[in-house]
């Protein structure tokens, strides 16, 4: 057992990001190991993973397929349990899934029989919000997401990008402490993906939500994050922690910034090893 | 592109003929290089297999063709029937004899009485079977422990032919309605359970996980996610296994009944009323077809989201 994490964080070796942007660790992944015991062999999906996400931060977990990044996100969500180690949010130990950690999946997670508005309202009904407040919150999110005219549409009537906006709105509705995104734009075409990245950034600026996002897309990770954890595979472990120097300002020119290009090469090398 | 490799593999004559084409071939697409092949000169050939219009694998045919083929199929079976009923064969009634037998049965009311007697048994028996199928099927498809409990049991029980239970049912339940109803239940419930379990298993993992991360508990997910997602699939299961329910009913009515379409069938046999037998056989087909269409309508009405 590890002592509870204090509000200010007591990491003995402050990372670069801590120095640049001292914050409160919202989420702490403490020495997490995940072993899948199969019949013939056991696979170590994650080995001694330590990381944290500060209040209001946007952090990406970057890694090639099979590095255990989605497993790690599932453990943070409480959908899987760590074999060793633990995850805490605001010092509370995560023992299972909850609406405080809203999650967005790559695809197929919207309720196909519910309208856009009813999809967004699902978490609010679960939390027992009174009907008037529920309606207010759904309307607010429909506005933020640019989906007001599609309130009564079924998911199958929407484009891929719109569906992911509904999924994000649904996860945001019950006002979670943080948002977990599991390759949310992985199934979208390049153009839609770019739009959704900018949309996510503006949403993040607007709501100040803490975001932990899994991706295998290097440029996406640099463009969106304040920090990146690079995961190496077999066994999954943190290979590097990289602070992104652009602050909050991102735009079309970010991707032409020489620092962006340097980071891209550096991360490509890290992923290749 | 025509590459040196390809050119090198051409026969000598072709290489010579291609010689002047090679200079401009770099800016051309492959197809344009075809005239350079010796022999026919400048007529372009064709490449690839032409797809079959009539029997393409998993390709649609025009709607008019679909209807046409359906009509031809129905006419074919009618023609076969008509042809085989001709001549002196007294064992096959002609369509017109069957029709007049049918109108006569409707006229004196026996058809309606028997239809209602049979339909009642199917509705009650199959209703019980569907309730068992939905409750146990959803539980089996959702909880691994329930699955483990029922799997070997049902795997064994469903191989006991349901009609083999009739003698036992007659002893246990007497000869009134209940043995017929329970035969329908026993003959269809296992399939309803197994197929409904597959329907419940088809709920995407991510949808269930998303519900958890929205704060829903197991009971809420069962009621608000797994059940609604399974509704169209359950209606399809009901539609498919309904045919088995009618089969079980007829088996029961042939053996021990004083009413019902199956009873009327065996009675017609005794009196060698071949025309009435044919009328009842066709009535079964029509009833099945109508209930199939009806259940499809219900499915599309209840779950428009699942319409392709």
């Amino acid at each position: 057992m590890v002592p509870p994490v204090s509000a200010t964080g007591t990491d003995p070796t402050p990372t670069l990001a801590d120095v640049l942007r001292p914050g409160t660790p919202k989420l702490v992944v403490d020495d997490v190991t995940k072993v899948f015991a199969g019949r013939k062999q056991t696979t170590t999906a994650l080995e001694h993973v330590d990381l944290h996400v500060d209040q209001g931060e946007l952090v990406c977990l970057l890694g090639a397929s099979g590095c255990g990044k989605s497993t790690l996100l599932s453990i943070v969500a409480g959908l899987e349990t760590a074999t060793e180690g633990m995850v805490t949010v605001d010092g509370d130990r995560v023992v299972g899934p909850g609406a405080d950690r809203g999650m967005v999946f790559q695809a197929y997670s919207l309720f196909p029989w519910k309208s856009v508005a009813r999809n967004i309202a699902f978490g609010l009904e679960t939390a027992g919000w009174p009907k008037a407040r529920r309606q207010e919150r759904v309307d607010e999110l429909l506005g933020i997401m640019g989906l007001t005219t599609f309130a009564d549409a079924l998911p199958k009537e929407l484009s891929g990008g719109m569906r992911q906006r509904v999924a994000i709105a649904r996860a945001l509705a019950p006002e979670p402490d943080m948002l977990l995104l599991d390759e949310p734009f992985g199934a979208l075409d390049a153009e839609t993906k770019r739009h959704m990245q900018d949309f996510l950034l503006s949403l993040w600026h607007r709501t100040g939500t803490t975001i932990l996002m899994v991706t295998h897309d290097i440029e996406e990770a640099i463009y969106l994050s304040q920090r990146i954890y690079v995961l190496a595979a077999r066994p999954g472990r943190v290979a590097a922690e990289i602070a992104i120097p652009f602050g909050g300002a991102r735009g079309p020119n970010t991707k032409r910034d020489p620092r962006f290009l340097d980071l891209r090469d550096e991360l490509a090398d890290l992923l290749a090893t | 592109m025509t590459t040196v490799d390809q050119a090198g593999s051409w026969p000598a004559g072709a290489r010579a003929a291609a010689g002047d084409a090679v200079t401009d071939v770099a800016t051309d697409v492959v197809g344009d290089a075809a005239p350079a092949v010796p022999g026919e000169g400048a007529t372009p050939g064709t490449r690839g297999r032409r797809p079959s219009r009539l029997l393409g694998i998993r390709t649609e045919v025009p709607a008019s063709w679909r209807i046409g083929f359906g009509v031809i199929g129905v006419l074919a079976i009618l023609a076969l029937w008509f042809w085989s009923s001709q001549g002196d064969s007294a064992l096959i009634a002609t369509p017109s004899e069957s029709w007049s037998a049918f109108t006569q049965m409707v006229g004196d009311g026996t058809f309606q009485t028997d239809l209602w007697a049979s339909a009642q048994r199917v509705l009650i028996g199959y209703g019980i079977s569907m309730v068992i199928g939905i409750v146990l099927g959803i539980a089996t498809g959702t909880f691994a422990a329930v699955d483990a409990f029922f799997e070997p049991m049902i795997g064994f029980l469903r191989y006991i032919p349901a009609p083999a239970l009739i003698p036992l049912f007659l002893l246990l339940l007497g000869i009134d309605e209940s043995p017929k109803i329970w035969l329908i239940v026993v003959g269809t419930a296992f399939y309803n359970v197994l197929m409904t379990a597959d329907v419940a298993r088809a709920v995407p993992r991510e949808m269930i996980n998303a519900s958890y991360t929205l704060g829903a508990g197991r009971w809420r997910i069962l009621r608000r996610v797994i059940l609604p997602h399974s509704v169209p699939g359950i209606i399809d299961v009901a539609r498919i296994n309904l045919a088995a329910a009618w089969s079980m009913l007829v088996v029961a009515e042939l053996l021990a009944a004083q009413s019902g379409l199956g009873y009327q069938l065996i009675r017609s046999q005794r009196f060698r009323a071949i025309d009435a037998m044919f009328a009842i056989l066709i009535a079964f087909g029509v009833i099945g077809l109508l209930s199939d269409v009806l259940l499809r309508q219900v499915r599309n009405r209840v779950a428009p989201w699942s319409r392709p």
Side-chain angles (χ1 to χ4, degrees):
Chain A
M1 286 290 282
V2 177
V5 183
S6 77
T8 47
T10 50
D11 207 348
T13 51
T15 60
L16 180 57
D18 287 329
V19 177
L20 288 175
R21 190 178 169 284
T24 321
K26 183 84 186 161
L27 167 80
V28 177
V29 173
D30 186 10
D31 198 27
V32 162
T33 295
K34 177 71 181 179
V35 179
F36 289 108
R39 232 176 303 171
K40 290 193 178 143
Q41 57 177 28
T42 56
T43 315
T44 306
L46 296 166
E47 197 170 61
H48 302 302
V49 172
D50 281 301
L51 57 84
H52 69 276
V53 179
D54 288 343
Q55 173 76 49
E57 225 184 351
L58 200 168
V59 172
C60 272
L61 300 175
L62 177 68
S65 63
C67 72
K69 56 192 189 296
S70 285
T71 305
L72 181 56
L73 201 69
S74 291
I75 292 172
V76 172
L79 295 168
E80 297 208 39
T81 49
T83 312
E84 282 170 40
M86 67 172 183
V87 174
T88 56
V89 176
D90 287 335
D92 299 327
R93 184 171 184 164
V94 169
V95 294
D100 60 308
R101 283 148 291 136
M103 188 150 172
V104 176
F105 299 84
Q106 185 168 351
Y108 311 118
S109 75
L110 291 181
F111 306 120
W113 61 93
K114 283 179 186 282
S115 68
V116 166
R118 296 297 306 273
N119 260 284
I120 296 172
F122 184 86
L124 304 176
E125 290 164 12
T126 307
W129 285 38
K131 197 167 181 218
R133 262 187 76 208
R134 218 156 66 199
Q135 188 62 48
E136 213 172 286
R137 178 71 175 148
V138 169
D139 288 343
E140 180 194 355
L141 283 162
L142 285 170
I144 294 175
M145 302 290 160
L147 291 165
T148 305
T149 51
F150 294 94
D152 297 321
L154 288 174
K156 72 169 181 179
E157 296 162 331
L158 305 179
S159 69
M162 282 160 81
R163 281 183 215 175
Q164 283 309 68
R165 273 185 280 162
V166 178
I168 293 170
R170 186 179 63 174
L172 273 178
E175 298 171 338
D177 289 337
M178 56 175 4
L179 211 49
L180 308 174
L181 310 178
D182 190 1
E183 307 222 20
F185 312 139
L188 304 178
D189 63 87
E191 180 68 17
T192 311
K193 188 172 180 170
R194 264 199 302 281
H195 280 300
M196 288 299 292
Q197 288 168 352
D198 286 327
F199 172 78
L200 183 70
L201 279 176
S202 70
L203 187 76
W204 178 62
H205 281 300
R206 196 164 162 173
T207 60
T209 310
T210 310
I211 296 176
L212 178 60
M213 171 165 163
V214 159
T215 183
H216 63 262
D217 182 332
I218 294 174
E219 295 197 8
E220 178 170 87
I222 304 171
Y223 187 63
L224 295 177
S225 336
Q226 296 184 295
R227 276 188 304 131
I228 296 174
Y229 286 102
V230 182
L231 297 190
R234 277 172 284 275
R237 63 203 182 277
V238 175
E241 178 190 351
I242 304 216
I244 306 300
F246 305 126
R250 317 280 161 118
N253 288 326
T254 308
K255 289 183 181 172
R256 299 194 196 102
D257 193 306
R259 290 173 300 174
F260 185 95
L261 303 175
D262 287 345
L263 276 168
R264 195 184 61 188
D265 294 343
E266 186 188 339
L267 288 168
D269 288 343
L270 272 168
L271 286 183
T273 49
Chain B
M1 292 287 95
T2 305
T3 63
V4 178
D5 279 56
Q6 281 171 316
S9 67
W10 284 355
R15 212 178 308 160
D20 53 348
V22 166
T23 46
D24 60 10
V25 93
T27 58
D28 280 343
V29 290
V30 173
D32 289 0
V37 175
E40 301 313 314
T43 46
T46 60
R47 297 223 175 175
R49 282 175 214 271
R50 278 214 175 83
S52 165
R53 282 251 287 160
L54 181 59
L55 292 175
I57 292 176
R58 296 239 183 119
T59 46
E60 273 301 314
V61 293
S64 54
W65 290 28
R66 284 193 70 90
I67 297 165
F69 285 134
V71 170
I72 291 169
V74 172
L75 289 179
I77 191 80
L78 284 174
L80 183 68
W81 178 20
F82 187 78
W83 173 75
S84 56
S85 65
Q86 296 306 299
D88 283 341
S89 164
L91 292 178
I92 296 181
T94 64
S96 61
E97 285 164 6
S98 309
W99 176 252
S100 58
F102 176 71
T103 49
Q104 198 196 326
M105 282 192 290
V106 172
D108 62 20
T110 51
F111 182 79
Q112 291 90 319
T113 316
D114 286 317
L115 176 63
W116 177 235
S118 291
Q120 229 175 343
R121 291 169 187 147
V122 169
L123 286 175
I124 297 171
Y126 198 57
I128 296 171
S129 172
M130 277 311 298
V131 170
I132 295 172
I134 291 168
V135 173
L136 297 189
I138 296 273
T140 303
T142 305
F143 304 108
V146 180
D147 188 28
F149 180 81
F150 281 119
E151 213 214 287
M153 188 201 296
I154 292 181
F156 165 75
L157 287 176
R158 78 190 174 100
Y159 279 105
I160 299 175
L165 294 168
I166 292 177
L168 190 64
F169 277 2
L170 291 177
L171 283 179
L172 287 173
L173 304 167
I175 53 161
D176 59 351
E177 292 301 292
S178 48
K180 301 165 191 75
I181 287 167
W182 286 105
L183 186 69
I184 294 171
V185 175
V186 171
T188 58
F190 298 129
Y191 298 98
N192 281 338
V193 171
L194 293 176
M195 288 168 74
T196 306
D198 277 340
V199 168
R201 281 187 200 105
V203 179
R205 178 89 245 165
E206 286 198 343
M207 203 178 286
I208 293 167
N209 281 344
S211 313
Y212 273 128
T213 61
L214 290 165
R218 288 172 303 159
W219 177 237
R220 196 175 184 84
I221 290 176
L222 203 59
R223 265 181 46 230
R224 293 293 166 82
V225 181
I226 293 174
L227 202 57
H229 190 278
S230 302
V231 163
I234 289 170
I235 296 174
D236 277 338
V237 170
R239 193 167 59 81
I240 291 161
N241 289 338
L242 183 58
W246 279 96
S247 297
M248 289 302 133
L249 169 92
V250 171
V251 170
E253 287 183 344
L254 287 177
L255 287 175
Q258 306 304 318
S259 63
L261 291 175
Y263 162 74
Q264 210 54 247
L265 204 56
I266 202 85
R267 218 173 82 96
S268 306
Q269 185 214 28
R270 253 176 241 143
F271 293 101
R272 291 186 76 80
I274 309 281
D275 49 356
M277 289 171 70
F278 270 79
I280 293 168
L281 289 178
I282 290 164
F284 278 129
V286 173
I287 293 165
L289 192 65
L290 290 180
S291 48
D292 200 275
V293 170
L294 180 77
L295 283 170
R296 274 177 208 269
Q297 294 289 327
V298 169
R299 176 196 200 278
N300 288 345
R301 187 68 62 84
V302 175
W305 56 272
S306 71
R307 227 185 293 186

